[in-house]
Amino acid sequence: MPTNSASAKKDVQIDPRGYRIGAGITATIAIVGLILGSGTAGTIVFAVLTAMFIPGATVGPQATLQSFLFKRLIRPRIGAPRETESFRPPRFAQLIGLICAVLATVFGLAGVTVGFYIFAAFLLGASFLNSVFGFCLGCEMYLLLVRMRAPRAA
Amino acid sequence: MVERVIAVLALLAAASAFAVWWQRREGRVTRVADPPGAVSSAHLGSPRGFRATFVQFSTSTCAKCPPTAVVLSRVAASEKGVAHVEIDAEARLDLVREFEILRTPTTLILNHEGIVVARISGAPSDAHAREALEAAPPPSTDYSI
């Protein structure tokens, strides 16, 4: 029986292990930032994370610093992946991460402690789920966001 | 400092509990007790199977959609008269709303009449896909003519 494929468009395939290790690096940095707190030190950590998310959210996860480290240091030791994945879902997840990092930084600079902790915690939760469980929070939210954005009368 | 360390540990524990709960539900098959009307091939935009059809809703940002398509087309190919149709959810928001699709991948199982008899939430295993097909047995061939 023929299969009509919507997800087989031309794209970049990435190594999912690299992406999960990258999310682990992100989560570790977020833990450091959260423990430092909403003062100057913690805000600087989230500003650094913001800068690290920009290439991932615009080009894709293959362009991040984490991906570079994985390719240089880890990939040569563990060999080729058994399967690859599209770069699109993690790129969307990187965009969600970027938004959280920007908001945490802005709230940190403005001295809004609650705002800083909410978005810093969301960022940590999402990157932790991604690295340890392979659970993509952004992917699960995506269709709901599309449904909310599009007008009902279609 | 100590409070923040405890708060971080609590957050990670809560996230882990959530992930375990979520993974146990992944691929779960639900029988549809009170189905809406039949779905035609024209409405679907693809021909239905003679016995059953897997209607898989996917998006481009869904990491588990391509492996789900592999599982469903493999199971469809191994059974007589079963088709697999993959729908781009963003292009077919009408179907998404009609069938209350909240996440991808979600798969509807249509029987030989095009009636939704079961649905799979999340990425199924082969066993999940076969379990869902049990809701759509082959149509009776007891013709009375």
Side-chain angles (χ1 to χ4, degrees), chain A residues 116-142:
Chain A
F116 171 85
Y117 282 114
I118 288 174
F119 290 102
F122 191 81
L123 198 162
L124 171 58
S127 54
F128 171 76
L129 285 174
N130 216 319
S131 70
V132 177
F133 297 98
F135 173 85
C136 174
L137 194 62
C139 308
E140 298 290 346
M141 285 163 50
Y142 184 73

Side-chain angles (χ1 to χ4, degrees), chain A residues 37-89:
Chain A
S38 60
T40 312
T43 304
I44 289 172
V45 169
F46 280 91
V48 169
L49 273 180
T50 301
M52 288 171 71
F53 272 122
I54 290 171
T58 50
V59 180
Q62 68 276 21
T64 57
L65 176 65
Q66 294 94 313
S67 159
F68 174 78
L69 293 175
F70 173 75
K71 270 183 271 190
R72 286 294 296 273
L73 303 176
I74 302 171
R75 177 80 178 266
R77 282 153 221 251
I78 59 175
R82 213 152 37 92
E83 55 199 1
T84 58
E85 277 180 19
S86 168
F87 78 113
R88 285 197 188 91

Side-chain angles (χ1 to χ4, degrees), chain A residues 89-154:
Chain A
R91 187 179 60 178
F92 178 70
Q94 290 271 307
L95 179 63
I96 301 279
L98 175 62
I99 292 167
C100 288
V102 166
L103 289 172
T105 308
V106 168
F107 281 123
L109 287 173
V112 185
T113 311
V114 179
F116 171 85
Y117 282 114
I118 288 174
F119 290 102
F122 191 81
L123 198 162
L124 171 58
S127 54
F128 171 76
L129 285 174
N130 216 319
S131 70
V132 177
F133 297 98
F135 173 85
C136 174
L137 194 62
C139 308
E140 298 290 346
M141 285 163 50
Y142 184 73
L143 188 60
L144 293 174
L145 295 175
V146 170
R147 282 184 66 158
M148 274 192 273
R149 204 180 50 195
R152 187 154 263 281

Side-chain angles (χ1 to χ4, degrees), chain B residues 44-64:
Chain B
L44 212 55
S46 255
R48 276 184 357 220
F50 171 71
R51 171 190 162 189
T53 313
F54 287 120
V55 182
Q56 180 194 339
F57 288 85
S58 298
T59 50
S60 59
T61 62
C62 158
K64 287 176 180 162

Side-chain angles (χ1 to χ4, degrees), chain A residues 1-9 31 34-38 85-86 88-90 92 117 120-122 124-125 128-129 132-140 142-144 146-154, chain B residues 1 4-5 8 11-12 15-16 18-20 22-23 26 45-46 49-50 58-66 69 73 76-77 81-90 93-94 96-97 100-104:
Chain A
M1 281 282 161
T3 297
N4 280 0
S5 186
S7 52
K9 291 170 205 149
I31 288 173
L34 267 166
I35 289 174
L36 288 172
S38 60
E85 277 180 19
S86 168
R88 285 197 188 91
F92 178 70
Y117 282 114
F122 191 81
L124 171 58
F128 171 76
L129 285 174
V132 177
F133 297 98
F135 173 85
C136 174
L137 194 62
C139 308
E140 298 290 346
Y142 184 73
L143 188 60
L144 293 174
V146 170
R147 282 184 66 158
M148 274 192 273
R149 204 180 50 195
R152 187 154 263 281
Chain B
M1 183 73 119
R4 290 199 290 267
V5 172
V8 164
L11 174 68
L12 298 183
S16 304
F18 167 79
V20 170
W22 187 273
Q23 275 171 356
E26 190 72 12
S46 255
F50 171 71
S58 298
T59 50
S60 59
T61 62
C62 158
K64 287 176 180 162
C65 290
S73 53
V82 178
H84 169 233
V85 176
E86 195 174 352
I87 303 268
D88 180 357
E90 279 183 84
L93 281 176
D94 57 326
V96 166
R97 293 206 168 102
E100 290 164 5
I101 309 295
L102 296 177
R103 60 182 292 221
T104 53

